[in-house]
Amino acid sequence: MLDTLRDITIEPGHLSMPEEPQADYERVRRIIAFISERWREQPSLEAIANHVGLSTTHVHHLFRRWAGLSPKAFLQAITLDNAKALLAASASVLDAAYEVGLSGPARLHDLFVTHEAMTPGDYKAGGAGLTMRYGFHPSPFGEAILVATERGLAGLGFVDDGDRQAALDDMTRRWPRALYVEDEAATAPLAGRIFDPSQWQAEQPLRVVLIGTDFEVRVWQTLLRIPRDRATTYSDIARHIGKPAAARAVGAAVGRNPISFVVPCHRVLGRSGALTGYHWGLTRKQAILGWEAGRAQ
């Protein structure tokens, strides 16, 4: 049994992560959208800067501060060619992960995770009897909402256009009979643990609880085996869970992943390497992949 959330996160505190990544993301998002629309043209730094109304120097330093990458390197990281290379390099990554097993914390983008699954009965009950504590916190990908039970992190999503209620509704509809309590003091340490790379430590694994159908949980557990700077496809996941004809169902389960970023559904690509649909938007998926590429260097 996992330690309770109180043991590791309930102590009052404030997210220690600098505010800059949060502020940067709003400008970075506009740049990424421009790059995404024109990546085949390989737009110049000058073209990017002109589009967003910033100087070339500002754009360069903004990306360096936010992702650890130059705009050109970021552009390379999110191209189709790079995605194909990731898939080629990842051809056996799930096979290797299954051979090793999950005897210890799963390693993803250097964030170490231990997990447990709720019983099917808990899921079917719609969260009845569970207390879900939630809070809104800055992240490198815009404002995030975190939801936690006493067993660990249960949900992570993002706020778009300042609409916190929509982000909260997205979480509450997943477990409609749970009791929701706004408690940023409880969720702030989790946000710090997730979004502050200095806190990614194996000796202090992040505890998550997976609440879904048996099939969904199997898919999400498989996602936890995909390391940073690697990717996989829906069909590969289907093969690894023993359901080779269920790629479409796998895609639906990936889309219902309630713990984005931590359970890395952003690392699932189309067979061609295309960045297919993402619940929190393709621009954010590209942002996460590019940000991770910067951390890998």
Side-chain angles (χ1 to χ4, degrees):
M1 179 63 66
L2 300 178
D3 295 337
T4 64
L5 181 63
R6 183 177 294 104
D7 291 334
I8 58 172
T9 65
I10 291 293
E11 293 299 322
H14 299 283
L15 181 58
S16 61
M17 186 188 69
E19 293 290 336
E20 272 189 348
Q22 166 81 4
D24 287 347
Y25 180 70
E26 296 307 314
R27 289 170 288 181
V28 166
R29 180 176 59 83
R30 294 170 56 211
I31 296 171
I32 293 171
F34 177 76
I35 290 174
S36 302
E37 294 168 2
R38 295 168 171 80
W39 67 266
R40 288 182 178 83
E41 304 166 15
Q42 296 289 294
S44 66
L45 183 60
E46 289 76 12
I48 295 170
N50 287 338
H51 177 78
V52 296
L54 298 172
S55 69
T56 55
T57 300
H58 193 164
V59 170
H60 179 83
H61 287 299
L62 171 65
F63 260 82
R64 279 288 185 186
R65 182 172 66 240
W66 177 77
L69 290 172
S70 68
K72 181 177 180 180
F74 182 90
L75 175 60
Q76 292 170 343
I78 65 170
T79 61
L80 183 62
D81 286 345
N82 187 64
K84 289 178 178 178
L86 282 181
L87 289 176
S90 304
S92 60
V93 67
L94 288 179
D95 293 318
Y98 270 79
E99 288 175 10
V100 173
L102 286 179
S103 56
R107 182 171 183 168
L108 58 148
H109 48 70
D110 296 321
L111 199 168
F112 294 83
V113 174
T114 59
H115 71 278
E116 70 167 317
M118 300 290 279
T119 68
D122 289 327
Y123 171 71
K124 290 178 181 179
L130 289 176
T131 297
M132 300 283 202
R133 300 183 181 276
Y134 70 91
F136 296 92
H137 303 281
S139 88
F141 317 108
E143 189 172 44
I145 179 172
L146 280 76
V147 179
T149 74
E150 65 173 10
R151 300 186 187 185
L153 179 72
L156 194 162
F158 295 99
V159 176
D160 286 313
D161 301 320
D163 193 346
R164 286 184 167 186
Q165 188 59 51
L168 178 59
D169 290 345
D170 185 275
M171 290 294 161
T172 58
R173 69 176 173 78
R174 300 170 187 270
W175 314 288
R177 298 180 64 190
L179 172 65
Y180 290 85
V181 178
E182 186 168 9
D183 189 349
E184 289 192 354
T187 52
L190 284 172
R193 173 68 177 81
I194 293 165
F195 296 120
D196 181 356
S198 70
Q199 295 191 41
W200 296 350
Q201 300 171 9
E203 60 271 19
Q204 295 181 334
L206 176 69
R207 294 169 173 84
V208 303
V209 57
L210 305 176
I211 310 174
T213 67
D214 285 345
F215 182 83
E216 288 170 344
V217 168
R218 289 176 66 193
V219 170
W220 302 337
Q221 288 173 331
T222 301
L223 294 177
L224 283 170
R225 300 170 188 257
I226 307 170
R228 182 189 61 188
D229 215 24
R230 292 290 186 272
T232 192
T233 65
Y234 302 102
S235 56
D236 275 348
I237 293 174
R239 178 171 61 85
H240 278 90
I241 64 173
K243 302 284 186 179
R248 189 179 297 274
V250 165
V254 169
R256 288 192 291 268
N257 168 32
I259 314 178
S260 59
F261 184 68
V262 172
V263 178
C265 52
H266 57 276
R267 297 185 190 148
V268 184
L269 309 177
R271 184 174 296 180
S272 68
L275 272 66
T276 51
Y278 184 62
H279 185 74
W280 301 103
L282 283 179
T283 297
R284 185 169 276 111
K285 182 172 185 173
Q286 291 169 320
I288 295 173
L289 290 171
W291 188 87
E292 287 187 342
R295 295 300 178 277
Q297 293 190 358

